[in-house]
Protein backbone atom coordinates (compact mmCIF):
# COMPACT_ATOMS: atom_id res chain seq x y z
CA UNK A 1 0.00 0.00 0.00
CA UNK A 2 1.27 3.46 -0.92
CA UNK A 3 1.93 5.68 2.08
CA UNK A 4 0.88 8.92 0.37
CA UNK A 5 -1.94 9.79 -2.01
CA UNK A 6 -2.52 13.12 -3.67
CA UNK A 7 -6.22 13.70 -4.26
CA UNK A 8 -6.61 16.10 -7.15
CA UNK A 9 -4.66 15.95 -10.41
CA UNK A 10 -4.44 19.62 -11.22
CA UNK A 11 -1.05 21.17 -11.88
CA UNK A 12 -0.14 21.68 -8.21
CA UNK A 13 -1.32 18.25 -7.04
CA UNK A 14 0.53 16.61 -9.91
CA UNK A 15 3.71 18.52 -9.13
CA UNK A 16 3.60 17.50 -5.46
CA UNK A 17 3.07 13.86 -6.46
CA UNK A 18 6.04 14.01 -8.84
CA UNK A 19 8.32 15.53 -6.21
CA UNK A 20 7.31 13.03 -3.51
CA UNK A 21 7.72 10.08 -5.89
CA UNK A 22 11.06 11.39 -7.11
CA UNK A 23 12.28 11.25 -3.51
CA UNK A 24 11.64 7.50 -3.51
CA UNK A 25 8.18 7.27 -1.97
CA UNK A 26 5.33 5.28 -3.49
CA UNK A 27 2.63 7.81 -4.39
CA UNK A 28 -0.87 7.55 -5.81
CA UNK A 29 -2.32 10.48 -7.77
CA UNK A 30 -6.11 10.51 -7.91
CA UNK A 31 -8.01 12.11 -10.78
CA UNK A 32 -11.77 12.53 -10.84
CA UNK A 33 -11.95 11.52 -14.52
CA UNK A 34 -11.42 7.92 -15.62
CA UNK A 35 -10.07 9.12 -18.96
CA UNK A 36 -7.60 11.50 -17.31
CA UNK A 37 -6.29 8.80 -15.00
CA UNK A 38 -5.86 6.32 -17.86
CA UNK A 39 -4.12 8.95 -19.97
CA UNK A 40 -1.67 9.81 -17.19
CA UNK A 41 -0.93 6.20 -16.41
CA UNK A 42 -0.31 5.43 -20.08
CA UNK A 43 1.63 8.57 -21.05
CA UNK A 44 3.42 8.76 -17.67
CA UNK A 45 2.72 12.48 -17.49
CA UNK A 46 -0.24 14.81 -16.98
CA UNK A 47 -0.57 16.07 -20.54
CA UNK A 48 -3.62 18.21 -19.76
CA UNK A 49 -2.35 20.09 -16.69
CA UNK A 50 1.44 19.71 -16.49
CA UNK A 51 2.77 18.54 -19.87
CA UNK A 52 6.37 17.55 -20.33
CA UNK A 53 6.92 16.59 -16.69
CA UNK A 54 7.46 12.80 -16.60
CA UNK A 55 6.18 10.64 -13.77
CA UNK A 56 8.75 8.76 -11.67
CA UNK A 57 8.34 4.99 -11.63
CA UNK A 58 6.84 5.01 -8.12
CA UNK A 59 3.99 7.38 -9.09
CA UNK A 60 0.72 5.84 -10.27
CA UNK A 61 -2.49 7.53 -11.35
CA UNK A 62 -6.00 6.25 -10.64
CA UNK A 63 -9.62 7.36 -10.65
CA UNK A 64 -10.47 4.82 -7.93
CA UNK A 65 -10.91 7.03 -4.88
CA UNK A 66 -11.40 4.07 -2.54
CA UNK A 67 -8.02 2.70 -3.56
CA UNK A 68 -6.31 6.08 -3.28
CA UNK A 69 -7.72 6.67 0.21
CA UNK A 70 -6.14 3.50 1.58
CA UNK A 71 -2.96 5.53 2.10
CA UNK A 72 -2.58 6.89 5.64
CA UNK A 73 -1.52 10.35 4.40
CA UNK A 74 -3.83 12.15 1.99
CA UNK A 75 -2.89 15.45 0.34
CA UNK A 76 -6.10 17.23 -0.67
CA UNK A 77 -5.27 19.27 -3.77
CA UNK A 78 -8.85 20.14 -4.71
CA UNK A 79 -10.05 23.73 -5.31
CA UNK A 80 -11.04 25.58 -2.15
CA UNK A 81 -14.66 26.07 -3.18
CA UNK A 82 -15.02 22.30 -3.77
CA UNK A 83 -13.30 21.18 -0.56
CA UNK A 84 -16.36 21.12 1.71
CA UNK A 85 -18.46 19.09 -0.73
CA UNK A 86 -15.55 16.70 -1.30
CA UNK A 87 -15.15 16.16 2.45
CA UNK A 88 -18.87 15.57 3.00
CA UNK A 89 -19.25 13.15 0.10
CA UNK A 90 -16.15 11.13 0.99
CA UNK A 91 -16.08 11.37 4.77
CA UNK A 92 -16.11 7.60 5.24
CA UNK A 93 -12.97 7.27 3.10
CA UNK A 94 -10.91 10.10 4.60
CA UNK A 95 -11.78 9.92 8.30
CA UNK A 96 -9.07 8.67 10.67
CA UNK A 97 -6.44 9.73 8.09
CA UNK A 98 -3.79 12.44 8.10
CA UNK A 99 -5.26 15.10 5.83
CA UNK A 100 -3.11 17.87 4.39
CA UNK A 101 -5.03 20.72 2.77
CA UNK A 102 -3.11 21.97 -0.27
CA UNK A 103 -5.56 24.63 -1.42
CA UNK A 104 -5.62 28.33 -0.64
CA UNK A 105 -8.72 30.40 -0.07
CA UNK A 106 -11.77 31.01 2.07
CA UNK A 107 -15.00 29.07 1.65
CA UNK A 108 -17.73 31.36 0.34
CA UNK A 109 -20.50 29.60 2.26
CA UNK A 110 -18.86 29.49 5.68
CA UNK A 111 -16.13 32.21 5.63
CA UNK A 112 -13.66 29.54 6.81
CA UNK A 113 -10.29 28.42 5.55
CA UNK A 114 -9.45 24.85 4.46
CA UNK A 115 -8.20 23.73 7.88
CA UNK A 116 -11.38 24.85 9.66
CA UNK A 117 -13.55 23.25 6.96
CA UNK A 118 -11.83 19.88 7.37
CA UNK A 119 -11.77 20.05 11.17
CA UNK A 120 -15.51 20.64 11.22
CA UNK A 121 -16.52 18.09 8.59
CA UNK A 122 -14.00 15.33 9.35
CA UNK A 123 -13.39 15.64 13.11
CA UNK A 124 -11.78 12.21 13.38
CA UNK A 125 -8.97 13.11 10.97
CA UNK A 126 -5.56 14.58 11.77
CA UNK A 127 -5.60 17.84 9.83
CA UNK A 128 -2.76 20.02 8.58
CA UNK A 129 -2.27 22.66 5.92
CA UNK A 130 0.52 23.13 3.38
CA UNK A 131 1.12 26.62 2.02
CA UNK A 132 3.82 28.98 0.84
CA UNK A 133 5.47 30.49 -2.25
CA UNK A 134 5.43 27.86 -4.95
CA UNK A 135 4.58 27.31 -8.58
CA UNK A 136 3.68 23.85 -9.83
CA UNK A 137 6.14 23.95 -12.70
CA UNK A 138 9.03 24.83 -10.36
CA UNK A 139 8.20 21.94 -8.03
CA UNK A 140 7.87 19.51 -10.95
CA UNK A 141 11.20 20.69 -12.35
CA UNK A 142 12.90 19.94 -9.04
CA UNK A 143 13.75 23.56 -8.32
CA UNK A 144 14.34 24.39 -4.63
CA UNK A 145 11.14 25.39 -2.85
CA UNK A 146 10.37 26.21 0.78
CA UNK A 147 6.86 25.79 2.19
CA UNK A 148 5.13 25.91 5.56
CA UNK A 149 3.34 22.90 7.02
CA UNK A 150 1.05 23.72 9.93
CA UNK A 151 -1.17 21.83 12.36
CA UNK A 152 -2.47 22.39 15.88
CA UNK A 153 -0.85 19.16 17.12
CA UNK A 154 2.95 19.14 17.33
CA UNK A 155 3.18 15.37 16.91
CA UNK A 156 1.08 15.53 13.74
CA UNK A 157 3.08 18.34 12.17
CA UNK A 158 6.41 16.74 13.10
CA UNK A 159 5.39 13.42 11.54
CA UNK A 160 4.13 15.03 8.35
CA UNK A 161 7.15 17.30 8.07
CA UNK A 162 9.38 14.22 8.08
CA UNK A 163 7.23 12.30 5.57
CA UNK A 164 6.62 15.12 3.09
CA UNK A 165 10.01 16.82 2.91
CA UNK A 166 11.83 15.95 -0.31
CA UNK A 167 15.26 16.63 -1.74
CA UNK A 168 13.94 19.84 -3.32
CA UNK A 169 11.01 20.83 -1.06
CA UNK A 170 12.04 22.09 2.37
CA UNK A 171 9.17 22.19 4.85
CA UNK A 172 9.12 24.53 7.83
CA UNK A 173 6.68 23.58 10.57
CA UNK A 174 4.20 25.84 12.36
CA UNK A 175 1.68 25.40 15.15
CA UNK A 176 -0.38 28.34 13.88
CA UNK A 177 -2.43 26.78 11.08
CA UNK A 178 -4.96 29.63 11.14
CA UNK A 179 -2.21 32.13 10.34
CA UNK A 180 -0.88 29.87 7.60
CA UNK A 181 -4.26 29.31 5.95
CA UNK A 182 -5.25 32.98 6.05
CA UNK A 183 -1.86 34.10 4.77
CA UNK A 184 -2.18 31.76 1.80
CA UNK A 185 -5.73 32.89 1.10
CA UNK A 186 -5.43 36.65 1.50
CA UNK A 187 -2.31 37.10 -0.62
CA UNK A 188 -4.30 35.97 -3.68
CA UNK A 189 -6.57 39.01 -3.37
CA UNK A 190 -3.60 41.36 -3.23
CA UNK A 191 -2.05 39.55 -6.21
CA UNK A 192 -5.16 40.33 -8.27
CA UNK A 193 -4.87 43.96 -7.18
CA UNK A 194 -1.22 44.09 -8.26
CA UNK A 195 -2.06 42.47 -11.58
CA UNK A 196 -4.78 45.04 -12.17
CA UNK A 197 -2.36 47.86 -11.38
CA UNK A 198 0.31 46.58 -13.74
CA UNK A 199 -2.15 45.76 -16.51
CA UNK A 200 -3.68 49.23 -16.27
CA UNK A 201 -0.23 50.82 -16.49
CA UNK A 202 -0.24 52.27 -12.98
CA UNK A 203 3.43 51.41 -12.49
CA UNK A 204 5.81 49.60 -10.16
CA UNK A 205 5.41 52.17 -7.38
CA UNK A 206 1.67 51.50 -7.27
CA UNK A 207 2.33 47.78 -7.07
CA UNK A 208 4.75 48.26 -4.18
CA UNK A 209 2.16 50.36 -2.34
CA UNK A 210 -0.54 47.74 -2.89
CA UNK A 211 1.72 44.95 -1.64
CA UNK A 212 2.67 46.89 1.48
CA UNK A 213 -0.77 48.15 2.42
CA UNK A 214 -2.28 44.83 1.37
CA UNK A 215 0.05 43.02 3.73
CA UNK A 216 -1.20 45.27 6.52
CA UNK A 217 -4.78 44.22 5.70
CA UNK A 218 -3.74 40.57 5.75
CA UNK A 219 -2.23 40.92 9.22
CA UNK A 220 -5.25 42.78 10.62
CA UNK A 221 -7.74 40.16 9.50
CA UNK A 222 -5.54 37.24 10.54
CA UNK A 223 -5.15 38.68 14.04
CA UNK A 224 -8.90 39.16 14.37
CA UNK A 225 -9.62 35.50 13.53
CA UNK A 226 -7.14 34.25 16.14
CA UNK A 227 -3.89 33.93 14.22
CA UNK A 228 -0.49 35.19 15.29
CA UNK A 229 0.16 38.19 12.97
CA UNK A 230 3.87 37.35 12.90
CA UNK A 231 3.06 34.07 11.14
CA UNK A 232 2.17 36.14 8.10
CA UNK A 233 5.73 37.47 8.00
CA UNK A 234 6.83 33.97 7.01
CA UNK A 235 6.60 31.86 3.88
CA UNK A 236 2.83 31.41 3.89
CA UNK A 237 2.18 35.15 4.11
CA UNK A 238 4.89 37.57 3.05
CA UNK A 239 6.82 34.98 1.02
CA UNK A 240 3.77 33.93 -0.96
CA UNK A 241 2.69 37.55 -1.34
CA UNK A 242 5.98 38.52 -2.97
CA UNK A 243 5.87 35.58 -5.39
CA UNK A 244 2.28 35.97 -6.53
CA UNK A 245 2.39 39.75 -6.85
CA UNK A 246 5.50 39.82 -9.03
CA UNK A 247 5.25 36.88 -11.43
CA UNK A 248 3.07 36.24 -14.45
CA UNK A 249 3.18 32.55 -13.50
CA UNK A 250 0.64 33.45 -10.81
CA UNK A 251 -2.92 32.79 -11.95
CA UNK A 252 -4.20 35.51 -9.63
CA UNK A 253 -1.72 38.13 -10.85
CA UNK A 254 -2.33 37.14 -14.47
CA UNK A 255 -6.09 37.33 -13.97
CA UNK A 256 -5.78 40.85 -12.59
CA UNK A 257 -3.35 41.85 -15.35
CA UNK A 258 -5.77 40.76 -18.06
CA UNK A 259 -8.60 42.66 -16.42
CA UNK A 260 -6.34 45.69 -16.19
CA UNK A 261 -5.63 45.61 -19.91
CA UNK A 262 -9.28 44.99 -20.77
CA UNK A 263 -8.57 41.50 -22.11
CA UNK A 264 -10.96 38.60 -21.66
CA UNK A 265 -10.21 36.06 -18.94
CA UNK A 266 -10.59 32.30 -19.27
CA UNK A 267 -13.54 31.19 -17.10
CA UNK A 268 -12.19 27.61 -17.05
CA UNK A 269 -9.06 28.58 -15.08
CA UNK A 270 -9.48 28.41 -11.31
CA UNK A 271 -8.52 31.76 -9.77
CA UNK A 272 -8.95 31.29 -6.03
CA UNK A 273 -8.53 34.98 -5.26
CA UNK A 274 -11.80 35.91 -6.97
CA UNK A 275 -13.97 33.90 -4.58
CA UNK A 276 -11.65 34.70 -1.68
CA UNK A 277 -12.06 38.45 -2.21
CA UNK A 278 -15.82 38.14 -1.83
CA UNK A 279 -15.52 35.90 1.22
CA UNK A 280 -12.95 38.21 2.85
CA UNK A 281 -15.07 41.31 2.27
CA UNK A 282 -18.04 39.59 3.90
CA UNK A 283 -15.93 38.40 6.82
CA UNK A 284 -14.34 41.82 7.30
CA UNK A 285 -17.76 43.46 7.32
CA UNK A 286 -18.98 40.96 9.91
CA UNK A 287 -15.95 41.68 12.09
CA UNK A 288 -16.11 45.43 11.59
CA UNK A 289 -12.69 45.61 9.93
CA UNK A 290 -11.64 48.24 7.40
CA UNK A 291 -10.04 46.53 4.40
CA UNK A 292 -10.10 49.11 1.62
CA UNK A 293 -7.97 47.24 -0.93
CA UNK A 294 -9.96 44.03 -0.62
CA UNK A 295 -13.24 45.94 -0.77
CA UNK A 296 -12.17 47.89 -3.84
CA UNK A 297 -10.92 44.80 -5.68
CA UNK A 298 -14.18 42.99 -4.96
CA UNK A 299 -16.14 45.93 -6.38
CA UNK A 300 -14.01 45.83 -9.53
CA UNK A 301 -14.44 42.07 -9.92
CA UNK A 302 -18.20 42.45 -9.49
CA UNK A 303 -18.28 45.18 -12.13
CA UNK A 304 -19.53 47.83 -9.73
CA UNK A 305 -16.65 50.29 -10.30
CA UNK A 306 -13.96 50.87 -12.92
CA UNK A 307 -10.22 50.77 -12.29
CA UNK A 308 -9.99 54.56 -12.61
CA UNK A 309 -12.77 54.95 -10.06
CA UNK A 310 -10.98 52.51 -7.76
CA UNK A 311 -7.76 54.53 -7.93
CA UNK A 312 -9.67 57.71 -7.10
CA UNK A 313 -11.38 56.03 -4.15
CA UNK A 314 -8.14 54.72 -2.67
CA UNK A 315 -6.23 57.98 -3.16
CA UNK A 316 -9.02 60.08 -1.64
CA UNK A 317 -9.17 58.15 1.60
CA UNK A 318 -8.50 60.20 4.77
CA UNK A 319 -4.84 60.78 5.56
CA UNK A 320 -3.49 58.63 8.42
CA UNK A 321 -0.35 57.52 10.14
CA UNK A 322 1.31 54.34 8.91
Amino acid sequence: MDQISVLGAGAFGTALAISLARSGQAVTLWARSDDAARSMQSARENIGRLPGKPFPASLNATSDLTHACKAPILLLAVPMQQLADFAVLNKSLIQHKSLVACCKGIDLKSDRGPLAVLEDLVPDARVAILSGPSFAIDIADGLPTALTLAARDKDVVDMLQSKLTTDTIRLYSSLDPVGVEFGGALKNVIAIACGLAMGAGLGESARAALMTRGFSEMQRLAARVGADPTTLSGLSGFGDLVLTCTSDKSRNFSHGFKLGTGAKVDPNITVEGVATAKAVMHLAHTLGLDMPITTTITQILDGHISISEAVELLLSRPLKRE
Side-chain angles (χ1 to χ4, degrees):
M1 178 182 69
D2 292 353
Q3 291 297 303
I4 300 172
S5 286
V6 179
L7 308 183
F12 191 67
T14 301
L16 287 175
I18 289 173
S19 181
L20 289 164
R22 190 187 291 129
S23 70
Q25 303 205 58
V27 181
T28 296
L29 176 62
W30 174 79
R32 190 183 304 273
S33 162
D34 291 341
D35 289 341
R38 281 195 294 267
S39 172
M40 287 189 288
Q41 192 66 6
S42 174
R44 302 303 297 163
E45 66 176 275
N46 188 340
I47 297 173
R49 296 300 184 90
L50 203 60
K53 309 304 175 186
F55 286 5
S58 60
L59 172 57
N60 290 291
T62 184
S63 60
D64 184 343
L65 186 58
T66 300
H67 170 73
C69 288
K70 289 181 180 179
I73 300 174
L74 306 177
L75 275 59
L76 275 57
V78 299
M80 180 65 228
Q81 302 307 321
Q82 297 176 21
L83 182 63
D85 287 342
F86 180 87
V88 169
L89 290 172
N90 303 294
K91 181 177 180 179
S92 62
L93 295 177
I94 64 177
Q95 62 186 350
H96 307 302
K97 303 287 184 176
S98 293
L99 306 180
V100 182
C102 300
C103 50
K104 301 172 182 178
I106 297 177
D107 181 62
L108 273 170
K109 296 179 181 177
S110 65
D111 290 343
R112 295 178 299 179
L115 182 100
V117 167
L118 292 174
E119 286 181 332
D120 180 53
L121 299 176
V122 198
D124 295 327
R126 298 170 292 278
V127 181
I129 182 165
L130 181 67
S131 190
S134 55
F135 289 137
I137 192 168
D138 292 345
I139 292 176
D141 281 340
L143 299 178
T145 303
L147 301 172
T148 301
L149 180 71
R152 300 187 196 278
D153 188 306
K154 182 179 183 300
D155 291 338
V156 170
V157 79
D158 287 348
M159 179 275 291
L160 289 171
Q161 182 184 32
S162 174
K163 294 287 187 181
L164 301 179
T165 294
T166 73
D167 292 341
T168 56
I169 298 179
R170 179 178 174 82
L171 297 184
Y172 288 83
S173 64
S174 170
L175 297 179
D176 180 21
V178 176
V180 170
E181 69 177 347
F182 270 82
L186 300 176
K187 59 86 187 176
N188 282 335
V189 181
I190 309 305
I192 292 176
C194 289
L196 278 162
M198 297 306 292
L202 300 181
E204 299 281 359
S205 297
R207 171 162 58 181
L210 285 168
M211 289 175 65
T212 306
R213 298 310 305 163
F215 184 59
S216 178
E217 287 191 14
M218 291 167 58
Q219 289 182 306
R220 287 202 302 275
L221 180 58
R224 186 62 68 89
V225 296
D228 180 351
T230 62
T231 298
L232 277 76
S233 296
L235 292 165
S236 61
F238 180 73
D240 216 351
L241 179 71
V242 170
L243 183 69
T244 54
C245 290
T246 60
S247 174
D248 56 10
K249 290 181 183 178
S250 163
R251 285 176 293 180
N252 291 280
F253 178 85
S254 296
H255 184 82
F257 189 90
K258 288 180 180 178
L259 291 175
T261 62
K264 292 184 178 180
V265 296
D266 187 347
N268 296 316
I269 297 177
T270 300
V271 181
E272 294 284 16
V274 174
T276 299
K278 297 177 182 180
V280 170
M281 190 175 75
H282 179 264
L283 181 58
H285 178 75
T286 301
L287 297 173
L289 278 177
D290 182 28
M291 299 186 69
I293 295 175
T294 300
T295 300
T296 302
I297 292 305
T298 304
Q299 291 174 328
I300 293 174
L301 293 172
D302 287 342
H304 294 157
I305 62 174
S306 66
I307 296 176
S308 60
E309 288 172 328
V311 173
E312 183 178 351
L313 281 172
L314 289 174
L315 291 179
S316 64
R317 283 173 53 80
L319 298 177
K320 58 187 289 188
R321 290 188 185 276
E322 187 175 34

